């Protein structure tokens, strides 16, 4: 595959300043960084391609040769090829572009002053009524908790810690590596202290120095109104405790919505199927229908209401989940008409008399309207 022009790769023109080059490279590197695109080979190639372009264009001598002679002008100058480099090498070379390397995934300054606990996942089954009103759920969660014996320090009897003899408190080790550009120095978290800069003198007998032990905790989770099936939200700092008084992880809450016997959910709208008796559909009248709040509301049925007619009660649906909209949906009433399978003799006689009435036969236009309503409903 032919190489692309370096200016094209970074999306800049040939008069771009050093600052423009840095900004363009940083934008592309952030977008295609392997930490953000795990397992994506195409993104990794674009990331390396941008690194190669930056390596040439930010160097005045290489840039001059490239501008004058193209790719051939870089031969013999140690032009970047990416073949002999790891991702650590790339970020060590260009760490200045990212202010010392803040990705936490490759090269640069990877160490952290505090350990981060891992996240937990919980699945919560909710009724439609709980979705509408919001609710609070309590769970007994088994997880890593702060060691009660050493209070999370990892040290026995308050013995404390001492400066790491390997990194002398810096938390990083500087390593020298031979590359095609010559000797190169890279930084990595200290292998002895794991980047903390200190080591424990006497490890806690309960937690072995980690500062965490297995335990149980009752976690109370507030479920907001309007959540939907498959939605995920985060409860901060309720996950596993971080080692040695580190930062707790989070709990990822997965919503699973139970089916409802009365209503069908359609986004924020609720659908209620109303089965009218034939006389009410014909003569009209008042009927009462349920709402999600548990009350009933009265609606008026007009005389001659046809099967498939839709009525809409504004604001009687579900609330929007916070941050994803506002207001309430509607309660949509789909009307159907009940036709009895068996009739008494008097009922049959009545229907036989009505059968011959032109008013009960309907015309082609009426039939077409009814058919269209049903078709629209199912589509």
């Amino acid at each position: 595959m032919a190489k692309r022009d370096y200016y094209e790769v970074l999306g800049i023109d040939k008069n771009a300043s050093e600052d423009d080059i840095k900004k363009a490279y940083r934008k592309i590197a952030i977008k295609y960084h392997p930490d953000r695109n795990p397992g994506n080979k195409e993104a990794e190639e674009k990331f390396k391609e941008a690194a190669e372009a930056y390596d040439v264009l930010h160097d005045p001598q290489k840039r001059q040769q490239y501008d004058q002679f193209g790719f051939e002008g870089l031969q013999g100058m140690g032009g970047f090829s990416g073949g002999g480099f790891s991702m650590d090498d790339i970020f060590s070379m260009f760490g200045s572009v990212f202010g010392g390397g803040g990705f936490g995934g490759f090269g640069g300054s990877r160490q952290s002053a505090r350990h981060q606990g891992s996240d937990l996942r919980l699945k919560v089954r909710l009724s439609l009524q709980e979705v509408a009103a919001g609710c609070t759920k309590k769970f007994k969660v088994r997880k890593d908790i702060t060691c009660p014996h050493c209070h999370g320090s990892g040290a026995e009897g308050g013995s404390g810690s001492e400066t790491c003899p390997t990194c002398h408190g810096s938390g990083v080790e500087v390593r020298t590596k031979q590359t095609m550009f010559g000797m190169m120095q890279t930084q990595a978290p200290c292998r002895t202290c794991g980047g903390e800069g200190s080591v424990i003198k006497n490890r806690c007998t309960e937690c072995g120095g980690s500062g965490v032990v297995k335990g149980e905790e009752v976690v109370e989770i507030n479920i907001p109104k309007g959540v939907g099936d498959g939605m995920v939200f985060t409860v901060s700092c309720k996950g596993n405790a971080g080692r040695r008084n580190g930062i707790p992880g989070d709990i990822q809450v997965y919503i699973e919505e139970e089916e409802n016997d009365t209503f069908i959910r359609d986004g924020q709208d609720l659908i209620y199927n109303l089965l009218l008796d034939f006389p009410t559909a014909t003569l009209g009248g008042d009927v009462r229908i349920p709402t999600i709040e548990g009350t009933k509301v009265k609606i008026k049925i007009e005389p001659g209401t046809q099967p498939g007619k839709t009525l809409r009660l504004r604001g009687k649906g579900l609330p929007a989940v916070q941050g994803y909209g506002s207001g309430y949906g509607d309660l949509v009433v789909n009307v159907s008409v009940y036709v009895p399978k068996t009739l008494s003799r008097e009922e049959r006689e009545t229907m036989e008399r009505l059968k011959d009435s032109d008013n009960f036969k309907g015309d082609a236009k009426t039939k077409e309207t009814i058919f269209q309503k049903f078709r629209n409903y199912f589509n």
Side-chain angles (χ1 to χ4, degrees), residues 23-331:
K23 287 180 180 178
Y25 170 60
R26 185 177 188 276
K27 182 179 179 180
I28 295 173
I30 289 174
K31 181 178 180 180
Y32 294 111
H33 190 279
D35 277 358
R36 295 191 174 189
N37 303 274
N40 188 331
K41 292 295 184 182
E42 183 180 354
E44 183 176 333
E45 289 304 317
K46 288 183 180 292
F47 180 75
K48 290 180 179 179
E49 183 183 44
E52 178 178 342
Y54 174 75
D55 174 56
V56 172
L57 297 183
H58 92 291
D59 184 302
Q61 185 180 0
K62 291 181 184 178
R63 184 178 181 181
Q64 182 181 2
Q65 288 293 108
Y66 175 70
D67 287 345
Q68 190 171 358
F69 303 107
F71 293 112
E72 292 183 1
L74 299 174
Q75 294 180 4
M77 295 191 66
F80 187 91
S81 68
F85 285 80
S86 65
M87 301 305 283
D88 284 340
D89 294 332
I90 293 174
F91 267 81
S92 296
M93 291 170 62
F94 309 131
S96 61
V97 180
F98 297 91
F103 274 99
F106 295 96
S109 177
R110 223 180 133 173
Q111 70 278 6
S112 173
R114 300 179 68 188
H115 292 285
Q116 174 83 45
S118 59
D119 292 348
L120 296 174
R121 294 184 178 185
L122 288 177
K123 182 181 288 186
V124 181
R125 283 182 62 83
L126 300 176
S127 67
L128 197 56
Q129 285 75 15
E130 289 174 321
V131 168
C135 61
T136 298
K137 296 283 189 177
K138 290 184 177 181
F139 299 89
K140 183 179 286 187
V141 180
R142 182 160 181 80
K143 63 176 187 173
D144 292 340
I145 61 173
T146 300
C147 176
H149 184 68
C150 66
H151 306 292
S153 69
E156 182 67 30
S159 58
S161 59
E162 59 186 13
T163 301
C164 174
T166 302
C167 66
H168 307 292
S170 68
V172 297
E173 290 183 80
V174 178
R175 302 170 187 170
T176 303
K177 182 178 180 180
Q178 177 66 48
T179 72
M180 64 182 295
F181 289 110
M183 299 301 291
M184 181 180 297
Q185 286 188 336
T186 62
Q187 286 187 348
C190 176
R191 288 168 289 186
T192 302
C193 66
E196 294 183 26
S198 60
V199 291
I200 298 173
K201 295 178 181 179
N202 298 309
R203 295 181 182 274
C204 171
T205 55
E206 294 295 322
C207 65
S210 67
V212 296
V213 294
K214 289 293 182 184
E216 289 184 341
E217 181 181 345
V218 175
V219 178
E220 189 173 281
I221 298 176
N222 294 318
I223 311 292
K225 298 178 182 179
V227 295
D229 189 70
M231 189 175 288
V232 182
F233 68 95
T234 301
V235 180
S236 299
C237 298
K238 290 295 183 179
N240 286 312
R243 297 176 67 247
R244 297 178 195 159
N245 289 320
I247 303 169
D250 302 329
I251 293 182
Q252 306 293 331
V253 181
Y254 290 73
I255 301 299
E256 189 175 274
E257 188 178 309
E258 298 174 351
E259 288 189 8
N260 188 272
D261 294 334
T262 305
F263 303 102
I264 299 171
R265 181 175 184 174
D266 181 19
Q268 285 181 249
D269 292 342
L270 293 175
I271 299 172
Y272 177 72
N273 291 318
L274 174 63
L275 185 62
L276 285 179
D277 58 78
F278 183 76
T280 302
T282 304
L283 302 174
D286 294 332
V287 297
R288 300 177 69 83
I289 62 171
T291 65
I292 193 63
E293 293 89 359
T295 60
K296 289 192 174 185
V297 294
K298 184 169 66 174
I299 61 172
K300 184 176 183 61
I301 302 299
E302 298 293 337
T305 294
Q306 301 297 315
K309 183 177 178 60
T310 298
L311 306 174
R312 186 176 290 269
L313 279 66
R314 301 289 181 184
K316 289 295 183 180
L318 296 175
V321 65
Q322 186 175 5
Y324 291 88
S326 60
Y328 283 72
D330 302 332
L331 177 56

